[in-house]
Amino acid sequence: MSKRFKRDLLPKSKLLKKKKKYIQNAHQQLGLGSKFVASVSEALHEDDVIHVRKMVEGLSEYGLAKLIETLSHSERTKLVQILGDKINPDVFPELNDVVQEQVIESLQEKQIVKIANELDSDEVVEILEHMDEEEQESIIKKLDPELQYQVQSSLSYPEDSAGRIMSREFVGMPDWWTVKEAKEFLLKNQELPEEFYDIFLTDEKFRPSGHIALDKLLRAKPTEYLFDIMDGEIVPIDVLTDQEEVAHMFREYGWRSAMVVDNKDHLIGVITIDDVVEVIHEEVSEDIMHLSGTEEGDVYRSVFSVFKSRVMWLITNLVATILAASVVKGFQEVIAQISVLAVLMPIVASMGGTTGNQTLAVVVRALATKELNSANTLRMIIKEFLVGLSNGLLFALLIGVITHIWFPDYQFMSLIIAIAMLITLVIASLSGILVPLTLNRFKVDPAVSSGVFLIAITDCGGFFVFLGLAKMFLL
C-alpha cells in the first residue's frame, strides 16, 4: 500500500498530531534560536533535568550536536551527563573535533564503549585517535570483536592517511557472480551498511576488479555476469596515501567512492565522497588558520589553550619584527636628519607585505590542490615577477606623485620612494612564491611557516631599500 493511501486512511486527529510533530521537529532542525539555547542554558543552571530532556527530545542528531557546540564547556558537559545513555551515538560524529574530545572526556569508559559499538569503524577511529594509547587499548578491548579488529587495523595506519578515513562497511562481491546471485545476496544479507550506492567487485584473490552502481544492477538482466556490466576503470587508493592526495584524486576523477587496497592489492575498505568533503573542509580550514597562527577549534577551546597555541606564533612574529626594527635602527641618523622618511617608510613596507601575501595565498592554495608542480613552477615564478614588476611600476608612479604633492621641498624624495616601491614590490612577489616553494621542497608545510618568513623579508627589504636609497641620494 502506498504512503498516500495509508495517510488517507488515518483518522483526522492522528493526521493533525503527526503534522504538529513534523512542524515542531522541522522548526528545531532548521536552526537553534537564541531563545531556545538560552532556555536550555537556564534549565541546566537550575538543574531542571526533566525540562532539559523535554526541550532536546525532538532535536535531530545534527541539531543536538549544534546545541552542544553552542553551549559553554560546563553546560555541554552537564547536558551530556543528563542525557546519559539516551543520547544518540550518531550525535558524536557531527560534533566539532575539539568539542567531541571535550565531551568524550566527560564520559565514563562504559558509555564510550556503548557509543562506539553503535558507530561505523571510521567514526570510532575519529573518537579514539585523540586519546592516549592506554585509554585506546582499554576501550578497544571492550568493543564488539569485528569492530575491534577494524578499529585496531585503522589506528595502525599513519594519521591523515587513507587508512584512517576509509570505512570498512561496504558491499563487496565476486565479479563472477550473476546479477541474480547479487540481488539474492542483497535481499538476504542482514548486515549490509545502512546506506550504499556502489557495489565493489573483486577477483578470486580479493583484488578489486571494478564496481557497479546500485541502480545499474537493478536494471540489469538476471542472467548477466557482473564482470560484463561492471565499470572496470578503477584506480585503487593505497592505504598509506595522504588524505590531501585522496581529496585531489576524487576531484580529478569525479568519484563518488573509491576502493582502498593494502600492500598486497587486497580490497580492505572504501572512501566515500562525504569522507572527502570532511577532509577538504579540514585541510582548507587548517591552512587558512595556520597562515595566521590560529587553529580551527579555537572557538571551543579554553582561554589558556588558545593562549598556548597562539603565543608561539606571536613570539616568532616578534622576532621577525625585531629584525625589521634592527634595519631601521641602522639608519637612525638618516631618519633624525630627514624626519619625512619616518612618515613614508611604513607605506613601502606595508605595500610590500600586502603584495607578498597576495602571491602567498595563491601559491599555498596551488600547492595544496596540486595545480603547481615541477612542470609549471618556472612559468609561475616568471609570471609573479612580471606581476610584481607591473604593480611596482604603477604604484611607484602613484606614490611618486603623492610624495611630490606632500613634500615639494624635497626634490629627490618622490624619485627615491618610487624606486623603493618598485624594488620592494618585485621582491615581495618573488618572496611570496619562492618561500612556500622552498619550504615545500624541504617537506615543511608552507601554510604554517611562510607568513613569518614573508614578513621578515618584505619588512626588512622594504626598509633597507628605501632608507638605503635615501642615505645614498639625500646625504
Side-chain angles (χ1 to χ4, degrees), residues 170-186:
F170 63 92
V171 180
M173 298 179 185
D175 58 12
W176 64 85
W177 275 9
T178 63
V179 170
K180 181 181 178 181
E181 288 175 308
K183 289 181 180 178
E184 287 176 355
F185 173 81
L186 293 175

Side-chain angles (χ1 to χ4, degrees), residues 359-360 362-364 366-368 371-374 376-382 384 429-447 450:
T359 306
L360 180 64
V362 172
V363 173
V364 169
L367 286 170
E371 293 174 2
L372 188 60
N373 49 54
S374 56
N376 61 3
T377 297
L378 181 59
R379 187 169 68 249
M380 187 71 173
I381 292 172
I382 295 171
E384 288 302 328
S429 290
L430 288 174
S431 300
I433 185 170
L434 293 176
V435 167
L437 283 174
T438 303
L439 292 171
N440 191 59
R441 185 72 179 268
F442 288 99
K443 308 298 182 185
V444 178
D445 187 353
S450 296

Side-chain angles (χ1 to χ4, degrees), residues 127-145:
I127 290 174
L128 296 183
E129 65 184 356
H130 301 297
M131 300 180 181
D132 58 47
E133 288 186 14
E134 288 186 12
E135 286 179 302
Q136 281 183 5
E137 289 177 8
S138 179
I139 291 169
I140 290 171
K141 285 178 183 177
K142 297 178 176 65
L143 297 176
D144 295 337

Side-chain angles (χ1 to χ4, degrees), residues 28-133:
Q28 290 182 333
Q29 292 176 26
L30 283 172
L32 301 173
S34 56
K35 289 184 179 179
F36 176 76
V37 175
S39 298
V40 174
S41 179
E42 186 179 349
L44 287 169
H45 284 292
E46 294 176 356
D47 293 324
D48 191 344
V49 176
I50 296 173
H51 192 202
V52 169
R53 285 176 178 167
K54 279 186 177 180
M55 282 191 290
V56 303
E57 188 178 4
L59 289 176
S60 66
E61 295 86 357
Y62 179 80
L64 182 54
K66 293 303 110 181
L67 173 63
I68 292 172
E69 289 178 355
T70 306
L71 296 171
S72 67
H73 185 286
S74 59
E75 290 171 344
R76 67 173 68 113
T77 301
K78 186 178 287 188
L79 175 60
V80 171
Q81 288 174 346
I82 288 173
L83 297 177
D85 294 337
K86 293 182 180 179
I87 190 169
N88 190 330
D90 290 330
V91 169
F92 291 87
E94 300 289 348
L95 292 170
N96 171 274
D97 288 348
V98 175
V99 177
Q100 185 188 86
E101 191 175 347
Q102 291 172 352
V103 171
I104 291 296
E105 285 177 357
S106 69
L107 299 176
Q108 296 179 357
E109 188 177 279
K110 62 179 182 180
Q111 290 177 298
I112 300 173
V113 172
K114 185 178 179 181
I115 289 164
N117 278 323
E118 297 295 322
L119 298 174
D120 291 337
S121 59
D122 55 330
E123 294 170 338
V124 178
V125 169
E126 282 184 22
I127 290 174
L128 296 183
E129 65 184 356
H130 301 297
M131 300 180 181
D132 58 47
E133 288 186 14

